[in-house]
Amino acid sequence: MSDSQSKCSTAQYFLCSKNCYVRKIPNQPRQKFCGMFCPVEGSVENKTLDFDLLSSGKGRVIQRQKDISKPRKVEIRRSTGKEILQNLNDEVRSDRLLIKGAKIVNDDQSFCADIYMEDGLIKQIGENLIVPGGVKTIDAHGRMVMPGGIDVHTRFQMPDRGMTAADDFYQGTRAALAGGTTMIIDHVVPEPGMTLISAFNQWREWADSKACCDYSLHVDITEWHKGVLEEMEALVKDHGVNSFLVYLAYKDVFQLTDSQIYEVFSVIRDLGAIAQVHAENGDIIVEEQRRILELGITGPEGHVLSRPEELEAEAVNRSVTVANQTNCPLYITKVMSKSAADVIAQARKKGTVVYGEPITASLGTDGSHYWSKNWAKAATYVTSPPLSPDPTTPDYLNSLLSCGDLQVTGSAHCTFNTAQRAVGKDDFTLIPEGTNGTEERMSIIWDKCVVTGKMDENQFVAVTSTNAAKIFNLYPRKGRIAVGSDADLVLWDPELTKIISAKSHNLAVEYNIFEGTEVRGSPLVVISQGKIVLEDGNLHTTEGSGRYVTRKPFPDYVYKRIKARSRLAELRGVPRGLYDGPVCEVSVTPKAMTPASSAKTSPAKQPDQPVRNLHQSGFSLSGAQIDDNIPRRNTQRIVAPPGGRTNITSLG
Amino acid sequence: EQTMSYQGKKNIPKITSERLLIKGGRIVNDDQSFYADIYMEDGVIKQIGDNLIVPGGVKTIEADGKMVIPGGIDIHTHLQMPFRGTSTVDDFSQGTKAALAGGTTMIVDHVIPEPGSSLVEAFERWREWADEKVCCDYSLHVDITHLNDSVKQEVLSLIKEKGVNSFQVYMAFKDLYQMSNSELYEIFTFLGEHGGIAQVHAENGEIIAEEQARMLEMGITGPEGHVLSRPEELEAEAVFRAVTIASQTNCPLYVTRVMSKSAADIILQARKKGNVVFGEPITASLGTDGTHYWSKNWAKAASFVTSPPLSPDPTTPDYLNTLLASGDLSVVGSAHCTFSVAQKAIGKDDFTQIPEGVNGAEERMSVIWDKAVVTGKMDENMFVAVTSTNAAKILNLYPRKGRIAVGSDSDLVIWDTDATRTITAKTHHSAAEYNVFEGMELRGAPMLVICQGKIVLEDGNLHATAGTGRFIPCSPFPDFTYKRIKARKQLAILKAVPRGMYDGPVSEFSPMSRGGTPSASTRTSPTKAPLRNLHQSGFTLSGPEEAPIRPAGRRIVVPPGGRSNIISLS
């Protein structure tokens, strides 16, 4: 080992006893860069390095940590008690884990304690825990241990016109785990015409066979009719789905009209689910796209030029309005611009139950790259709503995230490789959309928000994990370190620095939109379902080990207020005497020229009727004698209201 | 009290002279106030100053230091509006008389072509009605109630030949007048190119239709259902959307009938961000509120029915007056559109059938004086701006209208700041049985009104003559609105990034959308169109096998500065 290598060694792991881990080394489609497992100084006798692993050549450490002044120490060792025998033949990782000397960071407080986990659950928290033998112990040395991140928005393996997103559920969840995220919620995108349930089952099948961490699913509503309503009901009641996304963009494909959204939101509220929206004005985008193409702009810059942030803000505003009308909780996915974030912040100030989800990309980079001379690089940033060309956007969004105006962060991880993007090489509207971000999410937020002093570690936990768990009714099973919660934990090192690069990331794509960004803060150890899946930069993931986590409707965090408002919102008519004055005679049937407008939907003014012969109308301005010849129906009774009958035609 | 005397010979006939001199008045324009005499002849202001040399036979009005202001311009009326075979009770004669009685010397009415019918024909019909009856000058907005290519041609001819420069579109009245977002975009683009002003009736018609159905299902059929089904958020939402589209298309926007705080706030914010947008509160929204919808008197409640509705929040009028005073809202119309009780009663069992509209042409100036000037929110100059000058500027009538200056039309009002009157249907000049300001005591009223150089109101007596008003054409590209629009147009030129042609591998994909959905053209469906047999796709993640076939006609152009390797990792 060279000096330089040992110097840059950041996390020194002490693997105790032999063959602690037999890693299931998955077939990695591509291994771009391998560093060396750095030797450990002062190794204790009973701690040995897993040399087998090192020599295998496959499972090498991806060396990403650089610029670390002092060596970091995390000890993972086997208890030396008698019970060691029962785990001697340790083909699978131990189900019993003890983290000693941790600073437990929840969203509400931080405190020092040990954590004991068994069977994927947190069993004990406290000091001097009495634990059985054969327990693997991690010495945290006072470092932060926090609930594993929840990436509320991923689109792994997403189909797009016969192509599939480059990161599938295996690759995607691996990347997530590498970044400290232990649960993802992916979007089911039923192709219009396909039933929601069959799409949902399709996604379940894909994910169950490949996901390395727990997952759940949002279902996107891509069309609207009665059958969809029944399927939504079934998804909520039988399949553990409590969030549905509607699109205000993608005209003629996914986009719903305002009326449809009103109806979908009403159904969602009755079912106790969360209404998510992709907020962009699709009608105007289509017009702008046409204009931009006509101007001869075909490159990725056309993408952002045709989707200015005003169109995002407009759609957010509209969905807030509809959500208020229907008393339905609203969740805005992909908050990409200042204007959109402002609309959400204002709506929250007015009391709307609305949540905003900025994504890794909008928090970590901006849209100036759309003008890159490198087409492939520019195309990598193509996502909708687009990244804002305003370079002050990330800082602004991080501030709103810190003050609570925005609540959760997703990655909207949806990656396509360059060949796939190149489908749109002559027409930006054909470029498949999506950016990476699942691996970088936690580090970007730590670097941009916590290091800069915008938020503290507790708020960090809130926006990366707890709030998501609360909104989607996973709390406190997920999103909290507490007895009974899932053993999804991250040992976080705030001083670990790395430079993000496509050369070292765990993704299948050639570009990383955060290329060259140096971020402080990284996971040192990641525990998912009670098993160590990341240590010393090494991933020990098992394909298909992730479980589908069901979510119940009516999350308290969201629905307490909605329920109270439902009770208040009862409207009553004014009890009045029956109007018995004159009634003007009007023509009721619409003219033949106008398209049939149903009486129900055309509220007020009927088309100005026989416009021509107006002066010959029988109606006279001088008085109201016109009703004299209208026979009053004998079924109508004039009811005297309580308190005597008001003369309802009198002046004043 | 002003006194009237005749200079020169005594045998001047008692008919209104074509020559008028106002002596000793304090001229109030939107920018300044000053003392001077005004001499008018042939309906035009000929001289302003002290010790004017005027010909003999001039009727002189002693103003005694009272305010002389430009006559009001009511930028929004619906006189004689056809409605299901009848029409509103105030025709062009009755309506303009009411306007003159309140100090307004010009109205701008809305032409509402029946959807599907010709805009120009509708315009001509309105001209005919108005020319026969109006007592003061008028102009016309034309509402665009449907859209196709011939409509665009008609809009163009209205702009170029007919003297119309403002067109209203509706975001409400679903299945009747309502326009889709794409249509709004198209119209705004067109108007922006040809120097027109886009007016919008801003309410989300889709949601209103849903809410109306809900209200009726709940058994709410009275006028309160009208306001319950049209909450102010729906107004604000539509304003926001209209602002967005106008900003996209670089078209000046004019929001008619600002009725709520939320809608006004959106306009205010948009103006702060630099949008060219004007907000028009109306007499009703400045003077009263929507609590009356709950009146036990059905006829009274129904008389307040208008869209967007009056806000039930009683602090709304004060708020709107404040924004008007600060310049965030620009002009005041009346949206005067009156129906008799019998007409309103068409909707006695279903609020959605109640014909919509309130009075306000006569009360407009006094309401603003009382609510905004007396309270110290605005001064007399701002009063002139919001009641007259701004309207004239927006519609390109300035300085012919909206200003007391040599060469301007002699439409003047001597304003009595001390006068007090109580509004009531018993004495108003409208034909409607109800007045939405009933019982309101207002300070400030016109003492004398001069229209086209003739005294039409003095001592509370109207001397208006039907058919004397002229149509005033409005020319396109008003400076007040278009200077900024033009500058932005020059800035907004977009350029593509010069790049080398992408020559890397290209994935296979199926550009066509699936059979289940109605044919969505590739052009309008920009992005995702997943396929069913995804797993059987020939595409592999490991990389495409074949090189893309380059069309023979294309050359790979080397950009200046050498060709960049466009697929390299940066």
Side-chain angles (χ1 to χ4, degrees):
Chain A
M1 291 295 146
S2 73
D3 281 351
S4 65
Q5 269 173 322
S6 64
K7 253 185 193 168
C8 74
S9 144
T10 52
Q12 300 179 347
Y13 290 89
F14 293 69
L15 304 181
C16 41
S17 86
K18 3 175 195 175
N19 297 329
C20 253
Y21 312 119
V22 172
R23 242 173 307 177
K24 184 177 172 188
I25 294 162
N27 272 346
Q28 287 179 293
R30 51 194 291 276
Q31 194 112 32
K32 299 179 197 101
F33 183 77
C34 289
M36 281 297 289
F37 199 81
C38 299
V40 171
E41 288 176 49
S43 299
V44 207
E45 304 159 15
N46 62 345
K47 297 167 186 166
T48 57
L49 289 171
D50 191 349
F51 285 111
D52 288 348
L53 209 73
L54 281 173
S55 58
S56 80
K58 265 188 166 182
R60 288 190 186 169
V61 180
I62 295 170
Q63 184 158 351
R64 277 170 298 161
Q65 296 81 23
K66 287 175 185 169
D67 187 30
I68 291 302
S69 43
K70 51 179 178 178
R72 328 210 61 75
K73 237 184 195 182
V74 168
E75 295 176 12
I76 302 175
R77 61 186 147 79
R78 170 73 55 169
S79 135
T80 49
K82 316 154 216 160
E83 294 87 347
I84 190 166
L85 293 170
Q86 70 192 56
N87 283 322
L88 257 183
N89 192 13
D90 203 355
E91 285 294 309
V92 287
R93 273 168 274 146
S94 162
D95 270 348
R96 294 170 172 180
L97 263 177
L98 179 68
I99 302 180
K100 278 187 83 83
K103 180 180 172 195
I104 296 175
V105 181
N106 275 324
D107 69 320
D108 54 344
Q109 61 174 346
S110 309
F111 58 97
C112 290
D114 300 343
I115 307 168
Y116 173 67
M117 293 161 269
E118 201 180 301
D119 301 328
L121 293 179
I122 296 171
K123 294 285 185 187
Q124 296 179 57
I125 292 176
E127 284 167 48
N128 306 317
L129 300 177
I130 297 163
V131 299
V135 167
K136 196 183 292 171
T137 304
I138 301 171
D139 243 321
H141 290 299
R143 285 207 191 81
M144 283 185 275
V145 175
M146 49 182 67
I150 299 174
D151 187 344
V152 280
H153 188 162
T154 63
R155 288 169 186 272
F156 296 146
Q157 212 167 327
M158 197 187 76
D160 181 0
R161 290 166 292 169
M163 303 181 290
T164 307
D167 288 313
D168 63 4
F169 276 99
Y170 171 68
Q171 194 82 29
T173 49
R174 255 174 75 83
L177 287 168
T181 293
T182 54
M183 178 174 183
I184 60 132
I185 312 184
D186 205 81
H187 277 269
V188 175
V189 190
E191 149 199 358
M194 188 183 193
T195 69
L196 262 52
I197 303 271
S198 59
F200 172 81
N201 287 333
Q202 175 70 86
W203 255 259
R204 279 291 314 265
E205 204 179 289
W206 289 338
D208 282 339
S209 63
K210 292 191 167 179
C212 308
C213 66
D214 286 353
Y215 75 98
S216 200
L217 294 170
H218 308 291
V219 177
D220 298 0
I221 309 288
T222 50
E223 60 184 344
W224 182 240
H225 51 74
K226 270 282 179 296
V228 174
L229 191 157
E230 284 156 20
E231 288 198 294
M232 286 169 71
E233 214 172 306
L235 284 169
V236 169
K237 290 186 174 148
D238 310 327
H239 296 281
V241 173
N242 72 3
S243 49
F244 298 93
L245 178 120
V246 293
Y247 293 87
L248 273 68
Y250 305 114
K251 192 176 178 181
D252 298 333
V253 184
F254 296 152
Q255 187 175 321
L256 300 186
T257 66
D258 290 358
S259 312
Q260 290 171 327
I261 287 167
Y262 181 97
E263 282 164 29
V264 173
F265 280 14
S266 301
V267 169
I268 287 178
R269 174 210 53 218
D270 291 343
L271 293 174
I274 318 285
Q276 300 188 307
V277 289
H278 175 111
E280 278 185 300
N281 188 318
D283 290 342
I284 307 301
I285 287 170
V286 168
E287 300 283 341
E288 289 288 311
Q289 284 179 331
R290 188 172 301 154
R291 188 171 73 92
I292 302 282
L293 286 174
E294 273 168 17
L295 287 168
I297 300 177
T298 57
E301 70 277 15
H303 179 74
V304 65
L305 290 174
S306 63
R307 304 176 103 103
E309 68 176 74
E310 282 177 297
L311 302 188
E312 186 190 352
E314 187 283 314
V316 172
N317 186 62
R318 189 146 39 98
S319 41
V320 164
T321 307
V322 180
N324 273 341
Q325 267 333 100
T326 50
N327 192 29
C328 175
L330 180 67
Y331 179 104
I332 311 286
T333 59
K334 298 206 232 190
V335 176
M336 305 299 280
S337 67
K338 289 176 168 185
S339 340
D342 280 341
V343 173
I344 294 170
Q346 280 167 26
R348 289 179 63 87
K349 278 182 194 153
K350 287 183 190 156
T352 307
V353 181
V354 56
Y355 305 97
E357 168 206 280
I359 64 170
T360 322
S362 60
L363 295 170
T365 183
D366 62 57
S368 53
H369 304 281
Y370 291 118
W371 281 266
S372 167
K373 294 251 179 183
N374 179 338
W375 187 92
K377 185 184 172 195
T380 310
Y381 290 84
V382 169
T383 187
S384 288
L387 287 156
S388 170
D390 176 352
T392 63
T393 303
D395 190 59
Y396 192 80
L397 295 181
N398 280 303
S399 296
L400 290 200
L401 187 63
S402 304
C403 75
D405 282 341
L406 300 172
Q407 296 72 36
V408 279
T409 50
S411 65
H413 190 95
C414 181
T415 47
F416 291 94
N417 60 39
T418 301
Q420 291 173 316
R421 302 265 188 193
V423 158
K425 68 190 168 60
D426 301 320
D427 178 352
F428 63 86
T429 66
L430 299 175
I431 301 173
E433 299 177 0
T435 52
N436 64 289
T438 196
E439 183 173 3
E440 301 82 3
R441 191 177 63 101
M442 309 262 294
S443 290
I444 290 272
I445 298 168
W446 187 272
D447 184 76
K448 305 277 177 192
C449 294
V450 186
V451 172
T452 57
K454 285 184 198 289
M455 63 169 70
D456 59 21
E457 62 204 32
N458 305 100
Q459 177 73 0
F460 175 78
V461 168
V463 301
T464 55
S465 177
T466 313
N467 289 350
K470 285 179 175 171
I471 291 171
F472 296 110
N473 225 358
L474 299 163
Y475 190 80
R477 177 180 172 186
K478 302 283 184 188
R480 187 166 187 86
I481 299 182
V483 172
S485 297
D486 279 0
D488 287 353
L489 302 176
V490 174
L491 184 58
W492 190 260
D493 189 338
E495 281 156 45
L496 209 58
T497 301
K498 63 178 175 183
I499 293 169
I500 298 174
S501 168
K503 289 170 190 148
S504 55
H505 67 196
N506 288 285
L507 307 172
V509 287
E510 302 95 325
Y511 276 87
N512 189 309
I513 58 167
F514 308 103
E515 187 71 35
T517 305
E518 187 176 313
V519 287
R520 284 150 290 185
S522 237
L524 214 47
V525 175
V526 176
I527 296 163
S528 172
Q529 300 180 65
K531 296 183 179 68
I532 297 176
V533 292
L534 175 85
E535 38 87 20
D536 193 20
N538 270 316
L539 279 170
H540 316 289
T541 55
T542 314
E543 193 164 358
S545 62
R547 300 163 297 181
Y548 175 70
V549 181
T550 59
R551 297 176 287 137
K552 289 203 175 73
F554 295 106
D556 265 359
Y557 186 67
V558 174
Y559 266 88
K560 274 184 191 158
R561 286 181 290 165
I562 295 287
K563 283 177 185 166
R565 289 170 197 196
S566 297
R567 287 192 290 268
L568 272 184
E570 274 172 35
L571 299 172
R572 281 192 211 98
V574 176
R576 286 191 186 92
L578 213 50
Y579 174 87
D580 59 351
V583 180
C584 179
E585 200 178 352
V586 289
S587 42
V588 183
T589 46
K591 233 183 175 177
M593 280 186 68
T594 45
S597 54
S598 75
K600 195 180 180 187
T601 49
S602 59
K605 297 178 184 126
Q606 290 295 317
D608 18 315
Q609 275 308 311
V611 171
R612 270 182 208 144
N613 294 328
L614 198 89
H615 288 119
Q616 291 151 38
S617 154
F619 176 71
S620 80
L621 295 175
S622 55
Q625 304 87 343
I626 196 142
D627 69 318
D628 290 350
N629 53 357
I630 298 176
R632 199 161 286 140
R633 280 185 296 159
N634 47 14
T635 49
Q636 267 177 312
R637 276 182 58 228
I638 294 171
V639 185
R645 173 143 169 274
T646 48
N647 185 352
I648 51 179
T649 58
S650 72
L651 297 179
Chain B
E1 287 295 309
Q2 84 275 15
T3 53
M4 249 173 245
S5 64
Y6 291 93
Q7 290 186 346
K9 317 251 162 66
K10 290 173 189 163
N11 57 349
I12 293 291
K14 183 70 180 155
I15 56 153
T16 317
S17 164
E18 287 287 319
R19 295 169 172 181
L20 267 176
L21 179 69
I22 300 177
K23 276 185 83 85
R26 187 156 59 92
I27 297 174
V28 180
N29 274 325
D30 69 321
D31 55 344
Q32 60 173 345
S33 309
F34 57 98
Y35 287 93
D37 300 343
I38 306 167
Y39 172 67
M40 292 160 270
E41 204 180 294
D42 300 326
V44 174
I45 297 172
K46 294 287 185 183
Q47 297 179 57
I48 292 175
D50 294 325
N51 307 316
L52 299 177
I53 299 164
V54 299
V58 168
K59 190 194 278 182
T60 303
I61 302 160
E62 294 290 345
D64 284 336
K66 287 208 158 56
M67 281 170 52
V68 183
I69 58 175
I73 299 174
D74 187 343
I75 196 166
H76 187 163
T77 64
H78 292 278
L79 305 179
Q80 212 167 323
M81 189 185 81
F83 173 74
R84 291 179 173 195
T86 71
S87 67
T88 52
V89 293
D90 288 319
D91 62 5
F92 277 101
S93 165
Q94 192 89 25
T96 50
K97 277 180 189 161
L100 287 168
T104 293
T105 54
M106 178 175 181
I107 61 147
V108 190
D109 205 79
H110 277 268
V111 175
I112 309 179
E114 191 180 333
S117 70
S118 157
L119 266 59
V120 174
E121 274 175 31
F123 169 81
E124 298 292 0
R125 200 176 310 127
W126 252 261
R127 280 290 316 265
E128 207 176 289
W129 292 340
D131 284 340
E132 186 190 331
K133 292 190 169 178
V134 281
C135 307
C136 67
D137 287 351
Y138 75 100
S139 211
L140 293 171
H141 309 290
V142 175
D143 296 1
I144 302 177
T145 49
H146 68 289
L147 181 65
N148 54 40
D149 285 343
S150 74
V151 167
K152 280 190 183 172
Q153 284 315 306
E154 289 199 293
V155 167
L156 201 58
S157 79
L158 285 167
I159 290 176
K160 293 199 164 153
E161 296 152 26
K162 304 289 184 183
V164 175
N165 71 1
S166 47
F167 298 85
Q168 175 169 267
V169 290
Y170 293 85
M171 296 166 84
F173 306 115
K174 190 179 175 182
D175 297 335
L176 184 58
Y177 298 151
Q178 187 177 319
M179 293 277 171
S180 70
N181 293 336
S182 312
E183 288 171 324
L184 293 177
Y185 183 96
E186 212 173 322
I187 293 171
F188 285 13
T189 306
F190 191 79
L191 291 176
E193 282 165 8
H194 295 97
I197 293 148
Q199 300 191 310
V200 287
H201 175 112
E203 280 184 297
N204 187 318
E206 302 240 336
I207 308 302
I208 288 170
E210 300 280 343
E211 288 286 311
Q212 284 179 332
R214 190 168 74 94
M215 292 301 150
L216 290 174
E217 269 166 27
M218 291 170 71
I220 298 177
T221 58
E224 69 277 12
H226 178 73
V227 64
L228 290 174
S229 62
R230 303 178 103 101
E232 68 176 76
E233 282 178 296
L234 302 189
E235 186 191 352
E237 187 282 316
V239 172
F240 196 106
R241 191 147 38 98
V243 164
T244 306
I245 299 174
S247 164
Q248 261 340 94
T249 52
N250 195 25
C251 174
L253 180 69
Y254 180 105
V255 180
T256 60
R257 296 200 245 208
V258 176
M259 305 300 279
S260 67
K261 289 176 167 186
S262 339
D265 281 342
I266 302 285
I267 293 171
L268 174 157
Q269 283 166 24
R271 287 173 67 88
K272 276 187 191 154
K273 286 183 190 156
N275 290 306
V276 181
V277 54
F278 306 98
E280 170 207 279
I282 65 169
T283 321
S285 61
L286 294 170
T288 183
D289 61 54
T291 53
H292 303 282
Y293 292 117
W294 280 266
S295 166
K296 295 252 179 183
N297 178 338
W298 187 91
K300 186 185 172 193
S303 71
F304 287 83
V305 169
T306 189
S307 288
L310 287 156
S311 169
D313 175 353
T315 63
T316 303
D318 190 59
Y319 191 80
L320 294 182
N321 277 295
T322 304
L323 291 198
L324 188 62
S326 66
D328 290 316
L329 297 173
S330 310
V331 279
V332 183
S334 65
H336 190 91
C337 181
T338 45
F339 289 97
S340 67
V341 171
Q343 286 174 311
K344 293 268 186 186
I346 292 163
K348 68 188 169 60
D349 301 320
D350 177 353
F351 64 86
T352 66
Q353 301 299 313
I354 301 174
E356 300 176 1
V358 290
N359 64 291
E362 184 172 0
E363 301 80 5
R364 192 177 64 101
M365 308 265 289
S366 291
V367 163
I368 300 166
W369 187 270
D370 184 79
K371 303 282 175 191
V373 186
V374 172
T375 56
K377 286 184 197 289
M378 65 170 70
D379 59 22
E380 59 200 27
N381 305 101
M382 192 64 181
F383 174 74
V384 168
V386 300
T387 56
S388 178
T389 312
N390 290 351
K393 286 180 175 171
I394 290 170
L395 294 179
N396 224 357
L397 299 167
Y398 188 82
R400 178 178 175 184
K401 303 283 186 189
R403 186 164 186 86
I404 300 181
V406 173
S408 297
D409 280 358
S410 49
D411 288 352
L412 301 176
V413 173
I414 297 181
W415 190 257
D416 185 354
T417 56
D418 303 322
T420 300
R421 60 180 171 153
T422 303
I423 306 291
T424 168
K426 287 168 192 145
T427 57
H428 69 195
H429 288 83
S430 162
E433 298 101 319
Y434 274 87
N435 189 309
V436 294
F437 309 103
E438 187 72 33
M440 199 175 280
E441 194 178 291
L442 298 177
R443 285 151 291 183
M447 175 182 279
L448 184 115
V449 177
I450 297 165
C451 182
Q452 298 181 68
K454 296 185 183 67
I455 296 171
V456 292
L457 177 83
E458 61 177 315
D459 302 330
N461 294 318
L462 268 178
H463 314 289
T465 316
T468 54
R470 300 161 299 179
F471 174 75
I472 312 286
C474 302
S475 49
F477 294 107
D479 268 358
F480 188 65
T481 46
Y482 265 89
K483 274 186 192 155
R484 287 180 288 167
I485 296 287
K486 283 176 186 166
R488 289 170 198 198
K489 205 166 272 174
Q490 275 149 17
L491 272 184
I493 296 166
L494 301 173
K495 287 197 196 92
V497 175
R499 289 190 185 91
M501 194 111 89
Y502 175 86
D503 58 352
V506 179
S507 233
E508 274 176 28
F509 77 111
S510 37
M512 301 306 293
S513 45
R514 58 275 141 191
T517 43
S519 64
S521 71
T522 341
R523 194 169 179 199
T524 50
S525 57
T527 46
K528 314 204 171 80
L531 270 186
R532 258 181 215 148
N533 293 329
L534 202 90
H535 285 123
Q536 292 152 37
S537 155
F539 175 72
T540 59
L541 290 177
S542 54
E545 299 87 343
E546 53 174 350
I549 298 154
R550 205 168 291 131
R554 281 193 206 166
R555 278 181 57 226
I556 293 175
V557 185
V558 180
R563 175 141 167 275
S564 54
N565 185 353
I566 52 180
I567 53 165
S568 70
L569 299 175
S570 63

